[in-house]
Amino acid sequence: MSVQEETFRGFANPVDPSPAELRAWAYQPDSVPLTSMPPDWDLLVAGDHLVQTLFDLAMDQGCPARRFTLHCLYIYAADGIRTNFRAHPKRRFRKLVEQAEKSGDDLMRNWAHNSRVLLARPDLFVYRDWCEGGLVRENRRL
């Protein structure tokens, strides 16, 4: 079930959006097109501060920016795993994976599966798949 926010009027600081701003934008992504965002905005928002918001939006099948938020979750997972969880807490990552496995649809279960595979086999990391949206576009399992 989608919860529509009030009209989104833009980010106070697009390099460091608040969870509320990201949520409002995600339900009205045409209000501020991705092409107008700072370079590598996906990498900027795929951090601990926004990961729960990104996860909630990716779980919402009615969210217009769902594919973008899922893409950010792939970045988050790869960043945590590849840094041996120096970049992100392993506990938080595992909780998100477990929640996606339990309550997610196919897209989210694929993210959880792929994250577990990468955790077990970090050598399977391919930048195009994890950081450029390949696994989201193809919706495939490793």
Side-chain angles (χ1 to χ4, degrees), residues 9-104:
R9 304 204 188 288
F11 296 100
N13 179 1
V15 174
D16 186 23
S18 71
E21 288 175 329
L22 184 63
R23 184 176 309 281
W25 170 81
Y27 287 102
Q28 298 175 10
D30 294 336
S31 62
V32 181
L34 281 174
T35 55
S36 71
M37 298 309 291
D40 298 323
W41 191 60
D42 52 350
L43 301 175
L44 293 172
V45 300
D48 290 320
H49 175 62
L50 295 171
V51 72
Q52 187 62 54
T53 302
L54 291 166
F55 183 84
D56 293 344
L57 294 167
M59 288 286 281
D60 182 356
Q61 295 177 27
C63 177
R66 183 178 191 215
R67 289 173 58 87
F68 174 79
T69 59
L70 180 59
H71 163 64
C72 291
L73 289 179
Y74 272 101
I75 293 170
Y76 181 85
D79 193 33
I81 292 166
R82 295 192 67 224
T83 63
N84 199 24
F85 295 98
R86 287 186 302 278
H88 308 297
K90 189 173 191 176
R91 182 173 174 218
R92 177 178 293 149
F93 166 74
R94 285 193 184 270
K95 287 175 90 173
L96 295 173
V97 168
E98 289 168 3
Q99 188 176 349
E101 290 170 335
K102 180 181 176 186
S103 306

